[in-house]
Amino acid sequence: MKFIHTSDWHVGKTLKGRNRLDEHKAVLAEIVALTRAHDVDAIVISGDIYDSSAATADAQRLVVNTLMTMASDGVEVIAIAGNHDHGGTFEAYRPLMGRAGIQLFGQARARDKGGVYTFAARSDDSPVNVAAIPFLSQRYAIRAAQLIAPGDNVPARNVGSYDQWVRNIVTHLGEGYDPAGVNILTAHLTCTGGTFGGGERVAQSIFEYHVPAAIFPIETHYVALGHLHRRQELPAAAPVHYSGAPLPVDFGEEDNTPVVVLVETEPGKPAKVTDLPITAGRRLRTLEGSVEELRAQVDAAGDDWLRVRVKQSTYAGLRDDILEVLPNALEIHIHPDFTATSSGKVSSAQVASKTPAELFADFCAHVGSDDKRVKALFDTLHDELTSTR
């Protein structure tokens, strides 16, 4: 059987105030096209479908239409909630979406209460079992483990670590595997040793939120993870993969390669994994140089969203000059090499001994500005404010 693994769509994400819904629309249309081109049995979406737990109506409309299009093509759609999603809303819509052939998981469940979704692959009738673990906060991981596998979580063990609670859930769900079928596990979490993509919520990715990849049982044909935005495979007994984000959400992700993962597998055989590039959506790029050097990079920048680091001292109108030639610049900063490096404190006596013009000149030097027009404007305003007329 064949399925596509994807995650971290972050539909509704804005970048420095710029709405990216049209980009997401193009990306999701490309993913739909790939499910059709490769005639897959299923698509597994490993969390963070939305960027916000209070997703806008436009974002929800785009996601729902996309999922319903896939389901209407006969594709099994399995999606779990990530830390950006609202798990309760996923659960509220679970019965309705289930009628449409879309399996939503907003909370962890026991294997006999929907925690493992089973279907027959349309391509070869292979029995397929998908164990689902949506994002678990530290507090909810304990609660979920107690509800799902109470025998393994007596009160005396309530001091267990986050990875132990998740391990208990993984073990419990793995007991629902079929040795004669294809067994898949999807989760939204951080695996120890995984590489961050650059746009993740760090507070929900570090500290106690790590789990080792070794917790996933060898009987799992494929572990489909979400949360880290960089495409990567982690060493483990089972194939453990992050698909990465199909659209970079922050400039820290500009070097990531957006893909979805095509997985081909069958009972008793290892999974074959192929990355399918995602070409829709605008890329993120950082440019550096003086204003003149930046002008020379216009053609290379194309339609990308830009972060600009200016390698010269600032002056009045610099930002406007850059935006005139690079209208897609969302961030404009003076490179640290061209800002004042002095970190010494100035005493009150030193301040009192200087004129306002001298103090302003010191400030301009500190921020790396040597624009005479700014100093002249300060002098004019100072004269107006101090004039006795």
Side-chain angles (χ1 to χ4, degrees), residues 223-238:
V223 179
L225 298 183
H227 192 46
L228 301 187
H229 293 183
R230 181 168 296 176
R231 170 73 181 104
Q232 57 194 293
E233 178 180 7
L234 297 178

Side-chain angles (χ1 to χ4, degrees), residues 70-366:
M70 293 172 176
S72 67
D73 288 340
V75 175
E76 293 281 351
V77 180
I78 301 105
I80 64 174
N83 58 305
H84 281 252
D85 301 313
H86 193 281
T89 300
F90 275 42
E91 287 296 312
Y93 283 98
R94 179 181 167 92
L96 179 62
M97 298 296 271
R99 290 289 186 93
I102 300 163
Q103 312 304 319
L104 292 184
F105 294 86
Q107 66 184 32
R109 295 170 172 267
R111 60 178 180 272
D112 58 348
K113 294 183 179 179
V116 178
Y117 174 63
T118 300
F119 64 93
R122 62 178 179 173
S123 60
D124 60 5
D125 270 344
S126 295
V128 182
N129 307 289
V130 183
I133 307 178
F135 176 76
L136 298 171
S137 67
Q138 172 76 359
R139 180 175 60 180
Y140 190 75
I142 298 173
R143 178 185 170 196
Q146 290 171 333
L147 291 173
I148 290 172
D152 297 328
N153 299 281
V154 295
R157 293 187 181 178
N158 282 354
V159 295
S161 64
Y162 178 86
D163 88 55
Q164 184 61 57
W165 298 117
V166 175
R167 188 188 303 264
N168 291 347
I169 296 171
V170 168
T171 299
H172 168 80
L173 294 178
E175 292 171 356
Y177 286 167
D178 179 357
V182 172
N183 302 306
I184 302 165
L185 185 144
T186 181
H188 193 88
L189 47 75
T190 304
C191 266
T192 308
T195 303
F196 282 62
E200 301 87 350
R201 280 182 182 167
V202 174
Q204 293 174 331
S205 308
I206 58 175
F207 304 124
E208 71 270 27
Y209 283 102
H210 280 268
V211 299
I215 70 173
F216 303 113
I218 193 171
E219 296 83 6
T220 314
H221 287 78
Y222 183 89
V223 179
L225 298 183
H227 192 46
L228 301 187
H229 293 183
R230 181 168 296 176
R231 170 73 181 104
Q232 57 194 293
E233 178 180 7
L234 297 178
V240 178
H241 291 260
Y242 284 97
S243 66
L247 182 70
V249 302
D250 190 83
F251 283 102
E253 300 180 10
E254 63 182 279
D255 293 329
N256 295 352
T257 301
V259 303
V260 296
V261 183
L262 176 66
V263 184
E264 301 174 75
T265 187
E266 58 184 290
K269 291 189 178 180
K272 176 185 175 184
V273 176
T274 306
D275 289 353
L276 305 177
I278 296 296
T279 59
R282 295 162 75 168
R283 298 294 175 258
L284 308 182
R285 181 193 297 260
T286 298
L287 298 181
E288 294 186 350
S290 65
V291 174
E292 288 307 312
E293 289 170 338
L294 291 168
R295 289 181 192 275
Q297 299 180 60
V298 171
D299 291 340
D303 198 36
D304 297 347
W305 294 120
L306 304 176
R307 174 173 59 180
V308 177
R309 294 186 177 129
V310 186
K311 302 184 85 169
Q312 68 177 69
S313 298
T314 188
Y315 60 83
L318 179 145
R319 182 178 181 84
D320 291 337
D321 287 349
I322 292 174
L323 287 175
E324 182 180 351
V325 293
L326 297 171
N328 294 333
L330 304 184
E331 289 186 17
I332 301 174
H333 303 289
I334 302 298
H335 192 282
D337 290 348
F338 292 83
T339 59
T341 58
S342 174
S343 58
K345 293 183 178 180
V346 179
S347 69
S348 58
Q350 288 175 305
V351 171
S353 67
K354 293 188 177 183
T355 67
E358 290 171 334
L359 291 172
F360 186 70
D362 289 345
F363 170 78
C364 289
H366 177 72

Side-chain angles (χ1 to χ4, degrees), residues 46-60:
S46 303
D48 278 358
I49 294 176
Y50 298 106
D51 188 63
S52 168
S53 60
T56 66
D58 285 340
Q60 294 184 61

